[in-house]
Amino acid sequence: MKADRIKSNSEAVASGQYDAADKSSVGLVETQHFFYDQPFRTSSGRDLPSIELAYETYGALNSDGRNAVLVCHALSGDHHAAGYHHSDDKKPGWWNHYIGPGKAIDTDRFYVVSVNNLGGCSGSTGPSSINPSTQAPWGPDFPTLRVRDWVASQHLLMGHLGIGQWAAVIGGSLGGMQALRWALEYPALLRHCVVLASAMKLTAQNIGFNNTARTAITNDPDFHDGRYYDHQTRPKNGLAIARMIGHITYLSGDLMGERFGRELRAGSFTQGVESHLEFQVESYLRHQGDKFAASFDANTYLLMLRALDYFDLAREYGDDPVTAFREAQCKFFVASFTSDWRFSPVRSREMVDALIAAEKPVSYVEIESSLGHDSFLLPVPRYQTVFSAYMRKISEEYEMKGGE
Amino acid sequence: MRPDFLTIEQWVKPNSRILDLGCGDGALLKFLQQKKQVRSLGVEIDASNIATCIGNGIDVIEQDLDQGLANFADNSFDTVLLTQTLQAVHRPDFVLQEMLRVGKECIITFPNFGHWQARKYLLTRGKMPVSKFMPHEWYNTPNIHFCTVNDFEVLCEQRDISVLHRNFQAANYRDATASRPSAFSPIIDRWPNLFAAQAVYHVTS
């Protein structure tokens, strides 16, 4: 039954309901909060009087602290990367396929830290937080953030957790950009940089898509120049459209064709009959858009999209990625997916070529997948195999060191 | 261990930067890392080989050699290796030319199709040779460009490729003992095109 398949696929980021007997899950997890009670200077030169970061950890930190890994989330992710908050949760964290006992990021070996990025809307300080100087939500007055601000705030959390060096910083898409920035900003503080379905900077086409999504939000009459909190409303329609645009581009054309084809959800094309027609794909996208709009803050989405557009790895290095990567001291693992047209394999190969030219240790895999950009979140067998092999090798390094 | 590994080890400088094209499961690079502390990178196209390399801590790039090495800068590696792979690429001359551009020196190993056993097989049976050494049938072999020692010498001469060293090996290349000097070594060295099962060339442009 096609409709069932659509439903299960659309929820594919999740791998099902909480099951206390599931030994491959981190199980029930709790969100924690880190308060930094000093001004945080953003890359745009503005100060946030204090910041709060929501985060989760999975696994246990070794006594020598060498098994900590940082997981960076993408555009609409948050700190809840694995496990469940409540036993009645319908789905686990967004990277549950890859974080857990025996999984690629093996929580029997690693201590995993996952943070809701600054500017987020899942517990970290963001546009929907209260601005202490006005006692009202920041809204559009929240500082513009760049990837380097997230990295700087993650660095503060690292100190708070007593971690001296990450075994790896890992991220897909916008998360991969954070991992790359870590390698350049704090070269001594990570041993491995894992960059999945990412790029050194966005293409004009990508910025175009993002701007169209932003325009959908800002043109929503309920947006009120970003001060919708004051009007007790939310630009749900605009945000839903923005999400629909994004969602189409994160899938591949072939995958959409295979999942939905031209199948109708309502009505029929019978001649002589007037009926309300709806394609399955319309219903699917509306559901995705509405679900997202109900839970995500529009100003945060705008902020994240802009950070994605602004990222340019080599901007401060004479626009030369080879010069940029010479700063790095870690090893790199880069993966791309054949049907990903938002962060295509070409973008990953550019990164790999620059790393080779900078004489940095790098491994690169190009994974055959029809799942588009979202492949990095989903169970793709070959990706699981090589990602697991790389992570296993990292854990062997520190286990050997620990045994010395 | 393959006997060509031992020959290659002698020609590779300690702490040098090595690129292995068609690095397979990374066994050669692992060996050279241990023996010569080289900084290495492998290029491979087979998914399971790539996974093995990564699991062994060998840096590897997924790339098709037939698409060239445009992403590698001139003289960016001390030595570029191509072992048991020359005969499996679409344009051996193109790959060779690219190797010589990227590497200051290159080491190439290939099976010698002029070996007397191959000749005998073809002469007596009139069929493409199949052996433990070359186990594939003509229709499913990945080895699409077999050549002889003489063919390779001619190519080097035509393309102004300088041969720094040659090494010729007998019989089964999977058997390390075969690389040891034997009573046959002088014969193999005298008539490699007839008696060498495998040739190892150290070349530069």
Side-chain angles (χ1 to χ4, degrees), chain A residues 133-154:
Chain A
S133 62
T134 63
Q135 290 303 312
W138 284 92
D141 300 328
F142 196 80
T144 306
L145 294 181
R146 298 204 193 146
V147 168
R148 58 178 63 253
D149 294 313
W150 293 333
V151 170
S153 62
Q154 290 157 356

Side-chain angles (χ1 to χ4, degrees), chain A residues 353 356 359 363-364 366 382, chain B residues 17 39 55 59-60 62 71:
Chain A
D353 292 347
I356 293 171
E359 303 197 12
S363 283
Y364 170 62
E366 199 166 300
R382 190 188 156 207
Chain B
R17 194 169 185 229
R39 291 172 297 139
D59 294 325
V60 63
E62 181 165 346
N71 51 326

Side-chain angles (χ1 to χ4, degrees), chain A residues 58-254:
Chain A
Y58 321 110
L61 188 63
N62 282 0
S63 53
D64 61 7
R66 290 180 60 83
N67 69 329
V69 300
L70 175 67
V71 166
C72 305
H73 70 71
L75 189 61
S76 57
D78 57 29
H79 55 286
H80 184 40
Y84 302 80
H85 286 152
H86 306 286
S87 56
D88 55 353
D89 280 357
K90 293 242 177 350
K91 58 173 197 167
W94 57 270
W95 220 13
N96 202 55
H97 288 305
Y98 289 91
I99 302 172
K103 292 178 181 171
I105 305 172
D106 187 345
T107 48
D108 287 338
R109 292 164 177 271
F110 292 108
Y111 174 67
V112 183
V113 179
S114 174
V115 194
N116 181 212
N117 284 346
L118 190 61
C121 54
S122 305
S124 293
T125 305
S128 51
S129 307
I130 299 297
N131 176 353
S133 62
T134 63
Q135 290 303 312
W138 284 92
D141 300 328
F142 196 80
T144 306
L145 294 181
R146 298 204 193 146
V147 168
R148 58 178 63 253
D149 294 313
W150 293 333
V151 170
S153 62
Q154 290 157 356
H155 179 237
L156 293 174
L157 176 64
M158 181 189 192
H160 169 73
L161 295 173
I163 294 162
Q165 188 187 50
W166 300 110
V169 178
I170 305 166
S173 191
L174 181 57
M177 292 172 167
Q178 292 162 61
L180 288 167
R181 189 55 80 200
W182 261 98
L184 303 190
E185 288 298 303
Y186 303 103
L189 300 190
L190 66 161
R191 298 195 294 281
H192 293 267
C193 180
V194 176
V195 185
L196 312 166
S198 193
M200 297 188 290
K201 58 184 170 188
L202 287 196
T203 60
Q205 185 191 42
N206 258 325
I207 295 171
F209 277 122
N210 288 347
N211 187 55
T212 308
R214 282 193 291 269
T215 308
I217 295 170
T218 53
N219 280 4
D220 186 321
D222 285 334
F223 183 63
H224 299 289
D225 292 326
R227 299 186 195 284
Y228 46 87
Y229 316 99
D230 306 342
H231 296 78
Q232 282 78 48
T233 182
R234 293 155 48 80
K236 280 189 191 171
N237 290 325
L239 188 53
I241 293 167
R243 186 59 181 171
M244 285 159 73
I245 294 165
H247 201 83
I248 293 166
T249 67
Y250 302 143
L251 302 176
S252 70
D254 285 349

Side-chain angles (χ1 to χ4, degrees), chain B residues 78-98:
Chain B
D78 295 307
T79 308
V80 181
L81 310 175
L82 186 75
T83 67
Q84 298 294 334
T85 302
L86 184 70
Q87 75 282 358
V89 297
H90 281 109
R91 286 285 307 274
D93 58 339
F94 171 61
V95 170
L96 202 55
Q97 178 192 317
E98 281 287 86

Side-chain angles (χ1 to χ4, degrees), chain A residues 7-30:
Chain A
K7 188 164 188 299
S8 63
N9 283 339
S10 75
E11 305 296 337
V13 191
S15 52
Q17 274 180 298
Y18 174 68
D19 172 5
D22 181 3
K23 295 279 180 271
S24 70
S25 168
V26 296
L28 293 175
V29 296
E30 264 182 53

Side-chain angles (χ1 to χ4, degrees), chain B residues 151-196:
Chain B
D151 284 329
F152 191 78
E153 289 282 346
V154 169
L155 181 65
C156 288
E157 206 176 297
Q158 285 173 348
R159 302 290 166 100
D160 280 330
I161 298 168
S162 316
V163 179
L164 301 170
H165 301 96
R166 297 171 176 82
N167 183 281
F168 301 109
Q169 299 172 339
N172 185 353
Y173 71 87
R174 293 197 181 279
D175 177 8
T177 58
S179 73
R180 287 184 196 148
S182 72
F184 294 108
S185 292
I187 298 172
I188 295 168
D189 287 340
R190 178 69 184 81
W191 294 286
N193 201 41
L194 197 56
F195 293 112

